[in-house]
Amino acid sequence: MADQWQNAMDHAVAIARKAGEVVREALRGDRKVMTKSSSIDLVTQTDQKVEQLIIQSVKERFPAHRFIGEESVAAGEPCDLTDQPTWIIDPIDGTTNFVHAFPFVAVSIGFCVDKKVEFGVVYSCLEDKMFVARRGRGAFCNGEPLKVSDQEDIKRSIVVTEFGSNRDPDAVDRIFSSLRKIVCLPVHGVRSAGTAAINLCLVASGSVEAYYEIGIHVWDVAAGSLMVTEAGGVLLDVEGGDVDLMSRRIVAANNRAVAGQIIRQLNVFSPPRDDTLPSHE
């Protein structure tokens, strides 16, 4: 049976690659930096330019489709995920990395229908790695299939996480309390790429066993979440239930054994949901 979303996925790959060219070109020049919710929540003109490039291109091909874009939400657009075909866009996942030329920067495009991610595209611009996943058809990097690690012992695992832009002392204490417990299990190591989309692709690739974070947004994880499940991994909430992409909480792992060992160490909290915020905080 023909895949009704194949044309949309092909377009997502093409526009992600074009967006990556814009990002690489911008890195060769000056990068004007602005802030959103705080002095460490950064945005650049390139974020805005790339998001508009993607949205306008998609609107021309698929005028009836809806959008959730990081910079659009920051400008006051609603963050509503309905059953309608919806493109969830992070034009530059890893803006702080981009500002500092730290070499992990991704264009992330997720596509949802009936609130389920049907395909995901993550383009790691500086590595020139194109990650693609289609529901029920697998996950790939530059055409090669992805498969999660088969490690079941957390003590033989690498875990990735991020610290986000929330500097509330209680949230920071909880984040570092969780990190301390995970480090002391012990694990082989803890890493941080500075981009949720690439972290999820690292799990899907088998390079790391798990990624967890509280405070991410739906545009950070929509595309990458499908990479993990299509590569054989699992997604859970930080308290062990089903993941809710609007909750801003996620544990992605190669299997339930590793995920469960991570979850038992977490000092959890609940940031405001994406679908209840009037704009990006």
Side-chain angles (χ1 to χ4, degrees):
M1 185 175 70
D3 183 348
Q4 64 174 322
W5 304 122
Q6 184 64 49
N7 287 340
M9 187 169 74
D10 291 344
H11 188 70
V13 171
I15 197 63
R17 195 173 296 281
K18 186 174 181 180
E21 294 172 2
V22 174
V23 171
R24 288 193 295 269
E25 179 63 29
L27 278 169
R28 289 191 278 269
D30 292 331
R31 297 177 290 284
K32 183 178 180 181
V33 182
M34 299 163 281
T35 60
K36 292 187 283 191
S37 66
S38 71
S39 63
I40 57 170
D41 187 10
L42 307 182
V43 63
T44 70
Q45 290 178 335
T46 306
D47 292 81
Q48 298 164 339
K49 179 180 180 180
V50 168
E51 183 164 313
Q52 283 306 306
L53 168 72
I54 295 169
I55 290 176
Q56 289 305 317
S57 176
V58 172
K59 279 183 175 179
E60 291 173 5
R61 291 283 300 274
F62 309 100
H65 290 185
R66 297 168 60 93
F67 300 89
I68 296 174
E70 177 176 10
E71 306 314 327
S72 302
V73 173
E77 293 292 323
C79 186
D80 295 330
L81 183 59
T82 70
D83 290 337
Q84 298 302 309
T86 303
W87 298 66
I88 303 178
I89 301 160
D90 193 341
I92 299 180
D93 189 34
T95 298
T96 301
N97 288 357
F98 171 73
V99 168
H100 292 272
F102 190 74
F104 299 103
V105 178
V107 177
S108 177
I109 303 173
F111 179 77
C112 292
V113 181
D114 296 330
K115 300 185 177 71
K116 295 180 180 179
V117 183
E118 287 294 332
F119 67 74
V121 173
V122 175
Y123 182 45
S124 182
C125 309
L126 305 185
E127 299 180 286
D128 192 25
K129 289 183 177 180
M130 182 67 74
F131 296 90
V132 179
R134 177 71 177 95
R135 177 174 292 278
R137 301 193 179 189
F140 303 85
C141 177
N142 293 346
E144 295 297 320
L146 300 179
K147 185 179 183 301
V148 297
S149 161
D150 60 5
Q151 180 59 250
E152 295 190 357
D153 185 353
I154 190 67
K155 295 181 179 180
R156 297 183 178 181
S157 300
I158 289 181
V159 178
V160 288
T161 190
E162 301 292 337
F163 307 108
S165 59
N166 187 345
R167 294 299 182 264
D168 173 73
D170 180 63
V172 171
D173 286 346
R174 289 173 181 267
I175 289 168
F176 278 94
S177 169
S178 300
L179 179 62
R180 182 182 186 280
K181 286 188 282 186
I182 288 169
V183 168
C184 291
L185 281 170
V187 294
H188 272 183
V190 175
R191 303 289 184 264
S192 179
T195 147
I198 289 179
N199 287 338
L200 288 162
C201 290
L202 288 171
V203 176
S205 301
S207 301
V208 304
E209 278 66 40
Y211 160 63
Y212 74 92
E213 188 173 355
I214 299 175
I216 35 78
H217 292 276
V218 63
W219 45 82
D220 298 316
V221 298
S225 65
L226 191 64
M227 303 290 170
V228 173
T229 54
E230 286 299 313
V234 298
L235 299 173
L236 294 170
D237 178 68
V238 294
E239 294 184 89
D242 293 337
V243 73
D244 176 351
L245 295 182
M246 286 289 179
S247 73
R248 302 179 60 197
R249 316 191 318 175
I250 195 169
V251 175
N254 59 329
N255 56 54
R256 286 186 174 271
V258 168
Q261 293 172 85
I262 292 286
I263 288 167
R264 286 193 289 273
Q265 311 308 315
L266 299 182
N267 191 350
V268 303
F269 60 99
S270 297
R273 292 175 56 87
D274 275 330
D275 52 9
T276 61
L277 292 174
S279 62
H280 177 46
E281 68 170 13

